[in-house]
Amino acid sequence: NNNQHRRQTKRSSSKTQRADKAMMQIPEKPKAFLFDIDGTLTDSDPVHFQIFQELITKVPTIKNPSNEPIDHDFFRKYIAGGSNPIIFKNLYPDLSEKEHEKMWTEKEKEYRKRAITSLVRLNGLSEFMEQIDAKSIPKVAVTNAPRENAEMMLKALELDIWFKDLVVLGGECEHAKPHPQPYIDGMRLLGLDPIEDAKDCIVFEDSPSGATAAVAAGCYVCGVLTSQKAEHLEEVGVHMIVKDFQEFSGRFYSC
């Protein structure tokens, strides 16, 4: 009976959490915008996908017993939005941390080489930046990407000057996403109170891992459909889903 009661309580709690998420209103006057970088400011996942497909063909993983080239479902499930230590530990549990680090260092080097000439801003981002600046709303980038990748992407997108030093790196926080710590640190970096002000902050995320972090931090979370299916983002509790910043601006400024 106790087990049954616990299951019922868990189900009830889960329903309550979903109801709370559904009831959360978009802030009319946001105190800040927090942006993931990879897959959110730019659709960078096709480059990551191609490199991981090549890597896993060359070094097979137990997660892909067929040894067929990985598909996008595999990429979404095991790779998208994750931090390198978690991704490589999941894919290659029999290898040492040192071997993992060597693999992801090579992988990221290849990513930077290919991405620097191919990245473009997501549709509507430039216009949205102008709207943010016109209202003087603070902003910060919050990413699980390694420092060299984050710096390369922001420079390639000509966003390094816009964000200046307002960049939080998950790998340099106490915990990376999907833990809320990077978003908590992002709010603090802007001088906000992560408890009092979170509900008035809007986060843009493209991955379930990142969205989980932002939801747990208490922010209003907008899922961007560059790499994931809508249901995967809805499952972790995002409050709005858009295909790009043009759609977000149209909906937000018509409220």
Side-chain angles (χ1 to χ4, degrees):
N1 284 347
N2 283 342
N3 286 340
Q4 186 180 5
H5 175 70
R6 274 197 293 271
R7 282 197 298 270
Q8 287 173 339
T9 305
K10 193 173 179 183
R11 280 199 297 269
S12 164
S13 165
S14 151
K15 284 179 184 173
T16 305
Q17 285 170 355
R18 284 199 297 271
D20 287 346
K21 288 166 189 169
M23 285 166 58
M24 191 171 186
Q25 298 295 312
I26 189 165
E28 286 184 22
K29 295 182 178 177
K31 291 185 178 177
F33 288 105
L34 295 88
F35 297 85
D36 172 50
I37 299 178
D38 239 337
T40 299
L41 296 176
T42 179
D43 187 4
S44 50
D45 273 357
V47 186
H48 285 294
F49 173 75
Q50 185 182 43
I51 296 170
F52 268 108
Q53 193 176 54
E54 292 168 10
L55 170 65
I56 290 170
T57 300
K58 189 176 167 184
V59 187
T61 166
I62 59 167
K63 299 290 186 187
N64 184 39
S66 71
N67 287 337
E68 293 289 319
I70 64 164
D71 58 16
H72 285 90
D73 285 337
F74 181 98
F75 181 80
R76 281 191 285 263
K77 185 174 181 181
Y78 294 110
I79 297 166
S83 63
N84 277 327
I86 292 174
I87 293 169
F88 281 86
K89 187 177 180 181
N90 282 340
L91 294 179
Y92 303 105
D94 296 337
L95 298 182
S96 67
E97 285 183 19
K98 194 172 181 180
E99 288 170 308
H100 291 161
E101 189 168 355
K102 185 180 177 185
M103 289 175 77
W104 82 58
T105 300
E106 285 301 312
K107 179 261 160 183
E108 298 303 356
K109 187 178 175 183
E110 184 61 26
Y111 169 73
R112 289 191 293 274
K113 182 177 159 187
R114 297 187 197 186
I116 195 162
T117 55
S118 64
L119 297 183
V120 294
R121 292 180 184 179
L122 201 64
N123 186 41
L125 176 59
S126 299
E127 294 79 6
F128 183 47
M129 288 164 58
E130 289 174 9
Q131 292 165 336
I132 290 173
D133 288 345
K135 294 178 182 290
S136 300
I137 301 170
K139 73 277 182 180
V140 62
V142 181
T143 180
N144 262 359
R147 178 176 288 277
E148 284 181 279
N149 286 27
E151 290 175 350
M152 177 277 294
M153 287 187 284
L154 292 177
K155 193 169 184 180
L157 297 167
E158 297 183 354
L159 295 173
D160 49 335
I161 295 168
W162 195 61
F163 281 109
K164 299 188 175 72
D165 56 353
L166 296 171
V167 180
V168 174
L169 301 160
E172 297 180 15
C173 297
E174 188 178 352
H175 305 282
K177 307 174 195 177
H179 193 283
Q181 194 65 52
Y183 281 108
I184 291 168
D185 289 354
M187 288 184 274
R188 285 184 178 141
L189 187 59
L190 297 175
L192 298 173
D193 183 325
I195 296 173
E196 292 293 319
D197 298 323
K199 67 184 184 304
D200 295 314
C201 293
I202 298 178
V203 171
F204 296 95
E205 268 287 357
D206 72 302
S207 73
S209 170
T212 297
V215 169
C219 301
Y220 184 93
V221 186
C222 181
V224 183
L225 293 178
T226 51
S227 62
Q228 295 285 336
K229 294 175 181 173
E231 57 263 32
H232 294 151
L233 293 170
E234 287 166 351
E235 280 169 6
V236 298
V238 301
H239 306 100
M240 177 191 286
I241 290 180
V242 297
K243 70 176 185 294
D244 54 29
F245 290 101
Q246 183 179 33
E247 183 182 350
F248 176 81
S249 295
R251 290 169 66 177
F252 180 67
Y253 289 105
S254 67
C255 292

